[in-house]
Amino acid sequence: MSGYFNHIDPIKFEGKDSDNPLAFKYYDANKKVMGKTMAEHLRMAVCYWHTFCWDGFDVFGGGTFDRPWHGNNNDQAAAEAKLDAAFDFFDRLGNDFWCFHDTDVMAAANTPREHVENFAAILDKIEAKMDSRDIKLLWGTANMFSHPRYMAGASTNPNPDVVAFCALQVQKAMEATHRLGGSGYVLWGGREGYDTILNTNVKQEMEQLGRFVTMAVEHKHKIGFKGDIWIEPKPHEPTKHQYDRDVATVYGFLKEYGLEKEVGVNIEPNHATLAGNSFEHEVEMANAFGIFGSIDFNRGDPQNGWDTDQFPNDLRENTMALYYILKGGGFKNGGANFDAKVRRQSRDAEDLFYAHIGGMDLLARALENAAGLIESEKLSGFVQDRYAGWDKGIGKDMMSGKLSLSEMADAALKSNLSPEPISGRQEHLENIVTLAVK
Ligand code: XLS
Ligand code: NI
Ligand code: NI
């Protein structure tokens, strides 16, 4: 036990009239919404990296948090101290899931053999922690972007020896995820892209990525991992152009390599907005392609053009996202993790709790709002009516392939109709959402 969180009592649900900032006002794990509990719907996870690894540094200055487990050496003792603190935090917050990168949890390693040894050493400890609790692993991943060896990319690196190191990290991280009972495995291609086209062979790199993801899928089947693999789209940052730009781009990539039935997406709203998309657009595109997986729930800042990774607090945006998530059938193996970090001045233990409590309460409200929108059928009914023409007549015949272009054209000549434009009712529909955001 680290002691760092000792002054914080386990967080309880106290209801919306509570004044206690260290209590849930809306997240009532066992409350039923559309037939499932809030906990079952949301599958909320704490992310190890921002919450326990980041020390508050930014590009202009060093760490500000002074956590007792952040020593100068990232050795096994430090990794174990961090693990104790993390599980002590989970015990108090009561989150059902967590997620991690290999390098978050282990002692620093420089060589491939050291990587295997250090990762294995901490895995036994993690397993022991998990065995004595109810907490589950939402997903695991490998960090293939922080070490200088990855400055020119991970699986898209010009040097095959670097890609071999990636293969080792993915192999071990996926096996660890499987061993710890994880539901998913994430591939975020942090440096799978380029800074200048002048030094880059784009076709070669795309093919490396295609082959590498195929190898990861083959390995999943070889070891019998039954969870999902998800790619996390992001358009840029750290590289100028990233190959996994957004959901539609990832789908094109998956189709090209025959992986669209094997790999889904882990959507992050801040990445969506950086790509010029709304959060709900990305969710609905993933639903349309059948690749919806999981969500990293953070937010950006409307005035800043980078991945600020802030805890979510926009009820309307998250109501919309949850509406499309529920409409698509909700989370299966996926869930809601907070890929978000407290601000650099939020340096106290309490701040970590305020952040997660706020995010969990927000998602609980957004879930109830979204369920209300689904149940009222006002939005879905409107959309259904709008497209009703495709269930019959020439609409149906065109879509079933019965009509050629000329036959469809003949239908226009035959009816000689100049169809009346019909209102899209945008403001009316927006009002329905506004009234549902409570
Ligand atoms: C960075 C990403 C990263 C992934 C996991 O922008 O969001 O944190 O979620 O590697
Ligand atoms: Ni993320
Ligand atoms: Ni991100």
Side-chain angles (χ1 to χ4, degrees):
M1 183 125 332
S2 70
Y4 186 69
F5 299 118
N6 272 357
H7 59 295
I8 312 265
D9 290 333
I11 309 302
K12 296 200 182 66
F13 170 72
E14 292 184 4
K16 67 178 178 4
D17 297 326
S18 166
D19 281 337
N20 179 1
L22 289 169
F24 294 118
K25 319 286 183 304
Y26 293 89
Y27 181 61
D28 181 2
N30 297 316
K31 182 171 181 187
K32 288 257 172 102
V33 178
M34 285 174 62
K36 283 205 284 187
T37 66
M38 283 187 166
E40 287 164 344
H41 272 293
L42 292 167
R43 298 165 57 82
M44 288 195 270
V46 173
C47 297
Y48 209 90
W49 52 105
H50 292 315
T51 297
F52 306 110
C53 303
W54 186 50
D55 66 1
F57 81 92
D58 71 6
V59 283
F60 295 99
T64 53
F65 293 159
D66 203 20
R67 311 270 191 235
W69 57 90
H70 285 157
N72 291 328
N73 294 325
N74 193 1
D75 57 10
Q76 177 71 13
E80 288 182 27
K82 189 168 29 168
L83 187 69
D84 284 342
F87 276 77
D88 192 13
F89 180 85
F90 301 156
D91 288 344
R92 290 162 205 272
L93 184 68
N95 48 303
D96 291 325
F97 291 88
W98 68 295
C99 44
F100 72 100
H101 299 84
D102 49 2
T103 58
D104 301 339
V105 292
M106 60 185 269
N110 277 314
T111 64
R113 287 183 201 163
E114 238 175 60
H115 179 90
V116 174
E117 281 162 26
N118 295 357
F119 193 32
I122 200 74
L123 270 183
D124 292 337
K125 308 272 175 195
I126 296 176
E127 194 169 51
K129 292 270 187 204
M130 290 181 71
D131 278 352
S132 58
R133 291 168 170 81
D134 233 0
I135 193 159
K136 294 175 281 296
L137 180 67
L138 187 63
W139 52 261
T141 188
N143 176 330
M144 304 191 298
F145 42 88
S146 295
H147 194 281
R149 85 175 70 89
Y150 296 127
M151 72 179 185
S155 71
T156 61
N157 200 287
N159 180 354
D161 292 334
V162 174
V163 181
F165 210 131
C166 291
L168 179 72
Q169 280 194 246
V170 170
Q171 176 199 28
K172 296 297 172 196
M174 193 184 288
E175 288 170 3
T177 302
H178 181 37
R179 171 174 160 191
L180 300 174
S183 305
Y185 185 83
V186 166
L187 295 160
W188 173 58
R191 296 185 196 273
E192 307 295 39
Y194 62 88
D195 292 321
T196 173
I197 203 151
L198 297 175
N199 63 17
T200 305
N201 182 338
V202 168
K203 187 166 185 339
Q204 165 70 24
E205 291 201 359
M206 291 292 297
E207 280 174 5
Q208 284 174 223
L209 189 60
R211 180 64 198 134
F212 193 85
V213 177
T214 304
M215 285 155 63
V217 168
E218 286 165 359
H219 193 67
K220 166 188 148 162
H221 293 301
K222 183 172 156 203
I223 63 175
F225 175 50
K226 298 282 179 261
D228 294 341
I229 297 182
W230 303 305
I231 289 178
E232 184 176 322
K234 188 173 183 181
H236 43 77
E237 194 203 4
T239 65
K240 179 173 165 62
H241 296 279
Q242 296 196 180
Y243 300 128
D244 304 330
R245 187 183 162 75
D246 62 2
V247 169
T249 308
V250 167
Y251 184 71
F253 163 81
L254 294 175
K255 278 291 254 194
E256 170 73 8
Y257 294 97
L259 295 167
E260 73 277 13
K261 299 269 182 284
E262 294 281 358
V263 179
V265 283
N266 180 44
I267 296 169
E268 183 167 309
N270 202 167
H271 298 179
T273 47
L274 290 175
N277 296 321
S278 69
F279 183 6
E280 62 271 20
H281 168 84
E282 289 293 79
V283 171
E284 193 60 346
M285 289 299 274
N287 284 339
F289 293 131
I291 55 169
F292 178 77
S294 202
I295 304 275
D296 279 13
F297 270 99
N298 62 13
R299 70 175 168 99
D301 178 293
Q303 281 81 47
N304 286 347
W306 66 88
D307 197 8
T308 60
D309 285 329
Q310 287 171 260
F311 278 82
N313 64 5
D314 184 328
L315 194 50
R316 186 183 182 105
E317 179 182 50
N318 286 283
T319 296
M320 291 284 283
L322 258 309
Y323 173 73
Y324 288 99
I325 291 169
L326 289 183
K327 201 166 86 53
F331 290 119
K332 293 182 182 77
N333 280 330
N337 72 78
F338 296 105
D339 189 4
K341 50 185 193 264
V342 293
R343 298 303 87 187
R344 195 166 175 259
Q345 296 178 56
S346 303
R347 61 193 307 275
D348 296 340
E350 284 82 345
D351 293 310
L352 290 175
F353 283 93
Y354 295 146
H356 286 88
I357 290 168
M360 291 166 80
D361 266 345
L362 179 93
L363 294 192
R365 287 172 82 176
L367 172 70
E368 291 202 281
N369 292 343
L373 281 170
I374 297 260
E375 278 162 354
S376 86
E377 293 180 4
K378 285 183 186 158
L379 297 178
S380 55
F382 181 87
V383 174
Q384 213 181 329
D385 289 349
R386 193 164 186 235
Y387 292 86
W390 295 94
D391 296 337
K392 55 181 190 295
I394 54 166
K396 193 171 176 194
D397 288 347
M398 181 183 117
M399 293 313 287
S400 65
K402 269 194 200 151
L403 300 183
S404 66
L405 187 74
S406 305
E407 286 163 339
M408 195 66 178
D410 286 345
L413 288 175
K414 195 168 153 218
S415 71
N416 207 26
L417 281 177
S418 175
E420 274 296 306
I422 300 171
S423 170
R425 294 267 183 272
Q426 182 165 337
E427 295 73 15
H428 165 65
L429 298 169
E430 286 171 351
N431 292 348
I432 293 173
V433 175
T434 304
L435 292 171
V437 176
K438 299 196 240 290

